């Protein structure tokens, strides 16, 4: 599970600093111990300050989960940066984000931090607490009949800030004056209970467990636990005795009161209730610490050790308690792997290693391999070959041309099996530096991340999962990767067509659409280079012949009229440039013209019409049309067993799934007509072939899981 340990220590990253500043901080050593304890429990852990950057950090660390996946969780240690209700800030943010977290909710922290409200609730519930009064300022009258000595403390501070024993009116007013000036807050005044101080830690929710009571032995000096004592600045050592030397009846009584207090304030997971026990053995509740300190020398840790919970064990026990509260007891009772079904093992493997999957994707994305970059293509090809060899797959020379297409197969071979097809080049002519990998909550960005890298990562993740379960070598699976997607597969298409005749089905790892939609129909593409040449002509010279640029524009208008919306055929002139000498008119025009289509017969007629348009008899003008790319369409089939199986698997695992048609051609059109094929199996994309190209983050693991499950079925 991903766990973010959130605390407040150094950061003051807020829009404005004002109001009551936080004085409580967790030590770096404690934060380190908590992290190490959680890591020892098999969790993936990162630490973050609880400031205005928290949302962004959690978005990057905790992507939206898929159905059945264990979500991320926050181990909340945050005391807040500023404000009277600072304990509430991080829990409130997490409630809004929908992120589970350790500890009580914001409403409980608000109650517990306000000692006056806490005492009022305790009295309402019939729970014992010292008599008290509230002084708003140093001159406020003491309305209650309280007996000296008294305790003064700020009504909504923690860690014993401002705590003091006063013995008369003069000391009382001095104490209230200090609190008023230091904290700008009302003062809680309560009767001092002479006797013993005992803390009871609480762990759990249903049932709630009271830890053994811990007695604080103060020795000389004030018989209260001061701020200086807690920070080891008082010059004395406060001894902790656990279990506290109480009778069995007294222990049961104080533990029961602690549990009732925990429930009265609607606390969750952990807390600590502080008591004074007078000389007659009567317990009084002083306050509730809704965020019990987890410092190694704290009474909560000390008490947990007495019941056999080491520090590491306690941290992981707290996580289990929190998960049980959010997700139910079944969440804590995973079936032993030997007894799990294979598909469950694959699910657990892939979802638990989502971060590794994204790290792998980042590594692939940060390798530049544009179509025209032979060095980059060689680098990524070598790395992919190395990974496939480590998976135990073998090269297939028959379906490798050594220039633009390479094929590998499992030990069982690919014949009558599944062929996975993935491009390794990034199409498009781009200038400048490659776009680096970056993360957002729902989308991952980077050059070629959707058009190429997502498919590579999905394929390797699925195959790795199968290999870990010792399944891959038994499956009839082939992988064909190619490096000329940006050239319309001019050189690799024949190798692909040959390979697809050997297999039962083909899955093409091109980007799909959001909501888990794959592509079951794609248009074909014909792309032409058109050149119109003529003699150089001076501007203003009278001539009967039309110049080459005018001739091209005239025919381009006629070309546009060949568009056939009803016949699903579209024509586009994509690039136009001209050449001329100095002040002369253009003598040469270059253009790229593309047709996308479904009906191949209609496409042939349109191609013929275009060639006729650019066949001219004008004196001095010459034309040349060359076909650069011809990619057949993928035609939707009525009975599609491959699609039906994928749909059924998706429904069984609550994965999004659907079908969509696409205007863009792909390798799927090259597959033999009688071979079932699904395209768009990679995660959905945005900004495809642009600098803002991105890949849907959740679909990275969804597609990897669906591919692994499908290959396991085969």
């Amino acid at each position: 599970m991903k766990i973010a340990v959130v605390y407040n220590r150094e950061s003051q990253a807020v829009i404005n600093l004002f109001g009551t500043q936080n004085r409580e901080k967790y030590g770096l050593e404690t934060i380190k111990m908590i992290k190490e304890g959680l890591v020892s429990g098999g969790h993936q852990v990162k630490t973050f300050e609880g400031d205005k950057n928290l949302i962004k950090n959690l978005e990057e660390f905790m992507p939206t989960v898929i159905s059945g996946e264990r979500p991320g969780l926050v181990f909340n240690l945050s005391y807040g940066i500023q404000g009277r209700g600072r304990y509430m800030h991080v829990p409130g943010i997490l409630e809004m984000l929908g992120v589970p977290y350790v500890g009580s909710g914001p409403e409980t922290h608000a109650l517990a931090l306000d000692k006056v409200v806490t005492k009022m609730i305790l009295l309402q519930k019939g729970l014992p607490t010292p008599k008290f009064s509230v002084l708003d300022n140093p001159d406020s009258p003491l309305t209650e009949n309280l007996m000296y000595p008294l305790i003064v403390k700020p009504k909504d501070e923690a860690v014993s800030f401002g705590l003091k024993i006063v013995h008369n009116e003069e000391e009382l007013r001095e104490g209230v004056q200090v609190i008023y000036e230091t904290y700008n807050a009302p003062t809680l005044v309560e009767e001092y209970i002479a006797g013993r101080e005992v803390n009871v830690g609480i762990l759990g929710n249903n049932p709630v467990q009271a830890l053994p009571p811990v007695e604080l032995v103060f020795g000389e000096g004030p018989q209260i636990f001061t701020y200086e004592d807690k920070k080891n600045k008082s010059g004395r050592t406060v001894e902790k005795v656990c279990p506290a030397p109480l009778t069995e009846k007294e222990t049961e009584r104080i533990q029961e009161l602690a549990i009732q207090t925990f429930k009265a304030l609607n606390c969750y997971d952990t807390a600590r209730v502080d008591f004074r026990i007078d000389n007659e053995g009567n317990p009084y509740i002083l306050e509730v610490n809704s965020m019990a300190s987890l410092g190694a020398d704290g009474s909560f840790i000390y008490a947990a050790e007495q019941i056999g919970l080491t520090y590491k064990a306690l941290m992981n026990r707290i996580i289990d308690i929190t998960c049980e509260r959010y997700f139910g007891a079944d969440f804590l009772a995973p079936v032993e792997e030997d007894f799990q079904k294979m598909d469950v093992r694959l699910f657990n493997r892939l979802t638990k290693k989502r971060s590794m999957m994204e790290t792998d994707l980042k590594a692939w994305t940060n390798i530049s391999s544009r179509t025209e970059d032979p060095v980059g293509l060689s680098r990524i090809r070598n790395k992919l070959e190395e990974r496939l060899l480590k998976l135990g797959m073998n090269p297939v020379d028959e379906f490798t041309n050594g220039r633009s297409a390479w094929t590998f197969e499992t030990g069982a071979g690919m014949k009558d099996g599944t062929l996975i097809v993935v491009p390794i080049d990034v199409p498009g002519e781009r200038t400048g530096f490659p776009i680096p990998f970056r993360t957002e909550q729902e989308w991952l960005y980077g050059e070629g991340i959707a058009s190429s890298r997502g498919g590579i990562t999905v394929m390797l993740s699925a195959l790795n999962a199968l290999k870990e379960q010792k399944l891959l070598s038994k499956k009839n699976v082939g992988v064909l990767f190619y490096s000329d997607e940006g050239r319309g597969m001019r050189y690799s298409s024949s190798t692909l067509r040959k390979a697809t005749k050997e297999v039962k089905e083909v899955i093409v790892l091109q980007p799909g659409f959001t909501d888990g939609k794959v592509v079951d129909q794609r248009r074909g593409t014909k792309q032409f280079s058109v050149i119109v040449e003529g003699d150089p002509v001076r501007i203003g010279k009278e001539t009967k012949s039309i110049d080459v640029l005018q001739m091209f524009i005239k025919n381009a208008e006629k070309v546009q009229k060949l568009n056939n919306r009803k016949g699903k055929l579209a024509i586009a002139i994509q690039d136009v440039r001209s050449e001329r000498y100095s002040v002369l008119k253009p003598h040469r025009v270059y253009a790229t013209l593309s047709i996308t289509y479904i009906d191949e017969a209609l496409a042939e007629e349109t191609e013929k019409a275009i060639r006729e348009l650019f066949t001219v008899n004008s004196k001095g003008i010459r034309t040349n049309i060359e076909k650069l790319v011809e990619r057949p369409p993928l035609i939707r089939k009525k009975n599609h067993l491959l699609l039906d199986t994928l749909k059924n698997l998706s429904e069984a695992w609550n994965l999004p799934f659907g079908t969509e048609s696409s205007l863009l051609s792909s390798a799927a059109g090259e597959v033999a007509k009688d071979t079932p094929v699904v395209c768009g199996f990679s995660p959905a994309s945005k900004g495809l072939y642009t600098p803002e190209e991105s890949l849907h983050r959740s679909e990275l693991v969804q597609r990897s899981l669906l591919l692994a499950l499908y290959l396991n079925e085969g």
Side-chain angles (χ1 to χ4, degrees):
M1 173 181 286
K2 285 191 172 185
I3 298 177
V5 178
V6 177
Y7 61 94
N8 290 104
R9 185 169 173 80
E10 303 298 336
S11 175
Q12 292 185 323
V14 294
I15 295 175
N16 295 300
L17 277 173
F18 67 90
T20 305
Q21 300 300 302
N22 176 33
R23 300 166 184 261
E24 298 179 76
K25 293 182 179 180
Y26 261 101
L28 292 176
E29 186 61 30
T30 299
I31 296 169
K32 179 182 177 184
M33 289 176 61
I34 292 171
K35 180 178 180 180
E36 290 175 349
L38 297 174
V39 169
S40 72
H43 300 291
Q44 181 185 348
V45 186
K46 280 193 175 183
T47 59
F48 302 104
E49 285 262 9
D51 56 23
K52 69 182 179 65
N53 300 314
L54 180 61
I55 294 178
K56 177 178 179 295
N57 290 332
L58 291 179
E59 283 179 342
E60 293 180 359
F61 182 55
M62 295 180 178
T64 303
V65 297
I66 67 174
S67 178
E69 181 185 3
R70 292 193 171 194
L73 181 143
V74 167
F75 199 112
N76 181 36
L77 306 175
S78 172
Y79 293 125
I81 294 176
Q82 61 186 4
R84 295 198 184 281
R86 57 187 179 275
Y87 279 28
M88 299 181 284
H89 294 169
V90 165
I93 290 172
L94 298 175
E95 293 273 351
M96 177 187 71
L97 297 178
V99 176
Y101 59 93
V102 168
S104 298
E107 69 287 350
T108 295
H109 290 310
L111 297 175
L113 194 57
D114 190 322
K115 297 177 178 62
V116 174
V117 174
T118 297
K119 292 172 77 68
M120 293 173 67
I121 293 173
L122 296 177
L123 290 174
Q124 186 183 38
K125 296 289 185 179
L127 300 173
T129 186
K131 290 178 64 178
F132 71 98
S133 183
V134 180
L135 301 186
D136 292 330
N137 57 63
D139 299 324
S140 297
L142 189 62
T143 57
E144 298 294 329
N145 183 23
L146 303 181
M147 300 292 291
Y148 286 99
L150 302 172
I151 294 286
V152 296
K153 49 190 171 184
K155 84 177 201 61
D156 52 7
E157 286 290 345
V159 202
S160 300
F161 289 133
L163 181 69
K164 185 179 180 181
I165 300 177
V166 297
H167 300 84
N168 51 52
E169 177 76 13
E170 182 180 355
E171 290 182 0
L172 170 64
R173 297 302 168 181
E174 288 176 357
V176 175
Q177 182 74 35
V178 170
I179 290 172
Y180 186 76
E181 292 177 352
T182 304
Y183 305 102
N184 191 27
T187 299
L188 170 63
V189 181
E190 66 181 6
E191 289 187 344
Y192 169 70
I193 306 298
R196 306 159 67 181
E197 185 151 334
V198 176
N199 299 335
V200 179
I202 299 293
L203 188 62
N205 299 294
N206 187 21
V208 179
Q209 177 186 8
L211 299 178
V214 178
E215 181 172 1
L216 306 181
V217 180
F218 300 107
E220 296 182 359
Q223 297 300 294
I224 56 174
F225 204 20
T226 65
Y227 174 73
E228 289 73 21
D229 290 326
K230 293 181 179 181
K231 296 301 179 181
N232 298 315
K233 296 179 180 180
S234 64
R236 66 176 179 176
T237 299
V238 178
E239 182 184 358
K240 297 180 180 69
V241 179
C242 185
L246 303 170
T247 66
E248 183 177 345
K249 185 176 181 180
E250 288 173 329
T251 298
E252 291 178 357
R253 169 68 173 150
I254 204 170
Q255 287 180 322
E256 179 58 30
L257 285 173
I259 291 173
Q260 290 179 27
T261 302
F262 183 87
K263 292 180 177 179
L265 269 68
N266 199 29
C267 297
Y268 291 138
D269 306 333
T270 67
R272 192 190 72 235
V273 183
D274 297 343
F275 291 85
R276 294 288 290 194
I277 302 177
D278 68 15
N279 295 326
E280 283 73 43
N282 299 310
Y284 294 86
I285 301 163
L286 299 181
E287 60 184 71
V288 180
N289 192 320
S290 57
M291 292 182 64
S293 172
L294 297 178
D297 60 348
S299 60
F300 192 91
I301 302 300
Y302 192 38
E305 289 173 350
Q306 304 308 307
I307 61 170
L309 285 173
T310 65
Y311 195 92
K312 291 182 178 179
L314 176 60
M315 297 306 105
N316 287 284
R317 176 64 184 140
I318 291 172
I319 293 297
D320 288 345
I321 287 169
T322 304
C323 288
E324 184 175 14
R325 171 166 60 89
Y326 275 102
F327 313 116
D330 292 343
F331 192 84
L332 302 176
V335 180
E336 290 294 329
E337 186 165 313
D338 289 345
F339 298 98
Q340 288 177 341
K341 291 183 178 179
M342 186 56 66
D343 50 6
V344 175
R345 295 189 205 175
L346 292 172
F347 177 89
N348 290 338
R349 188 271 176 199
L350 285 163
T351 54
K352 285 180 180 178
K353 296 191 176 183
R354 178 191 282 211
S355 292
M356 294 176 62
M357 201 181 299
E358 291 187 5
T359 299
D360 199 31
L361 175 64
K362 179 179 179 179
W364 289 110
T365 301
N366 287 340
I367 299 175
S368 178
S369 64
R370 300 173 186 179
T371 305
E372 306 296 335
D373 178 12
V375 175
L377 288 171
S378 177
R379 183 182 174 196
I380 201 164
R381 174 177 63 82
N382 290 335
K383 183 177 180 179
L384 185 52
E385 286 181 340
E386 181 182 333
R387 292 284 294 273
L388 292 171
L389 288 170
K390 284 183 178 180
L391 286 168
M393 301 188 76
N394 307 307
V396 185
D397 293 338
E398 183 182 359
F399 307 124
T400 298
N401 63 21
R403 176 185 181 185
S404 59
W406 299 264
T407 302
F408 282 71
E409 65 182 1
T410 59
M414 58 184 270
K415 186 172 179 60
D416 298 325
T418 304
L419 179 65
I420 302 169
V421 180
V422 60
I424 62 171
D425 64 315
V426 179
E429 296 181 6
R430 301 182 187 176
T431 58
F433 293 101
I435 307 301
F437 180 91
R438 77 176 193 274
T439 303
E440 290 184 0
Q441 169 69 8
E442 294 295 334
W443 297 90
L444 303 172
Y445 292 80
E447 184 171 283
I449 194 167
S451 54
S452 168
R453 284 21 181 181
I456 293 173
T457 306
V458 164
M459 173 191 70
L460 291 175
S461 298
L463 297 182
N464 268 315
L466 291 169
K467 185 177 188 298
E468 286 188 1
Q469 301 302 325
K470 299 180 180 179
L471 297 171
L472 183 59
S473 62
K474 304 172 185 177
K475 302 296 180 182
N476 296 101
V477 177
V479 173
L480 185 149
F481 58 92
Y482 61 96
S483 63
D484 59 347
E485 175 64 29
R487 297 189 181 96
M489 298 189 73
R490 181 185 296 185
Y491 307 108
S492 62
S493 58
S494 60
T495 303
L496 175 60
R497 285 195 294 271
K498 184 179 176 183
T500 60
K501 293 178 181 178
E502 294 291 310
V503 296
K504 180 179 68 174
E505 60 205 8
V506 178
I507 296 176
V508 180
L509 292 173
Q510 286 279 12
F513 293 85
T514 53
D515 299 324
K517 292 180 180 178
V518 297
V519 178
D520 63 344
Q521 180 166 284
R522 286 188 181 272
R523 291 193 181 190
T525 299
K526 293 176 183 283
Q527 189 177 76
F528 305 91
S529 167
V530 178
I531 302 175
V532 181
E533 294 181 300
D535 298 326
V537 178
R538 294 196 307 273
I539 296 175
K541 181 180 179 181
E542 291 187 9
T543 176
K544 293 182 180 180
S545 61
I546 187 172
D547 66 59
V548 295
L549 185 56
Q550 288 177 310
M551 182 267 188
F552 176 80
I553 293 172
K554 181 179 178 181
N555 286 337
E557 291 176 350
K558 294 177 181 178
V559 165
Q560 292 298 320
K561 294 179 181 179
L562 296 175
N563 278 287
N564 188 332
R565 189 177 185 85
K566 185 177 180 180
K568 295 184 180 180
L569 182 142
I571 304 174
I573 298 174
Q574 294 175 299
D575 301 295
V576 179
R577 64 185 179 88
S578 63
E579 290 182 2
R580 63 183 177 82
Y581 299 122
S582 186
V583 298
L584 302 183
K585 292 182 179 180
H587 62 274
R588 185 177 293 116
V589 175
Y590 301 90
T592 303
L593 189 152
S594 292
I595 305 172
T596 63
Y597 62 93
I598 290 292
D599 188 324
E600 294 187 81
L602 181 59
E604 289 291 332
E605 293 176 10
T606 305
E607 178 183 346
K608 182 179 178 181
I610 290 172
R611 290 184 180 276
E612 289 176 353
L613 279 174
F614 283 98
T615 300
V616 295
N617 298 315
S618 300
K619 183 179 180 182
I621 294 182
R622 300 168 297 282
T623 61
N624 179 64
I625 299 179
E626 179 184 358
K627 187 183 295 183
L628 302 176
V629 173
E630 182 162 17
R631 307 189 77 171
L634 169 64
I635 305 299
R636 181 173 286 144
K637 297 179 175 62
K638 290 184 178 180
N639 298 314
H640 205 312
L641 181 60
L642 173 56
L643 267 180
D644 291 342
T645 305
L646 290 171
K647 180 182 179 182
N648 292 336
L649 280 171
S650 297
E651 290 176 351
W653 287 89
N654 292 319
L655 299 174
F657 190 79
T659 57
E660 185 66 86
S661 62
S662 173
L663 300 177
L664 299 177
S665 304
S666 80
E670 303 289 351
V671 175
K673 300 297 183 184
D674 55 348
T675 303
V677 58
V678 165
C679 193
F681 201 87
S682 285
S685 68
K686 286 196 309 185
L688 196 62
Y689 308 131
T690 73
E692 286 299 303
E693 183 171 310
S694 61
L695 169 149
H696 196 278
R697 194 175 185 184
S698 293
E699 289 193 10
L700 184 66
V701 67
Q702 290 170 347
R703 285 295 191 233
S704 301
L705 173 61
L706 184 56
L707 181 58
L709 292 171
Y710 181 78
L711 294 177
N712 182 49
E713 291 253 323

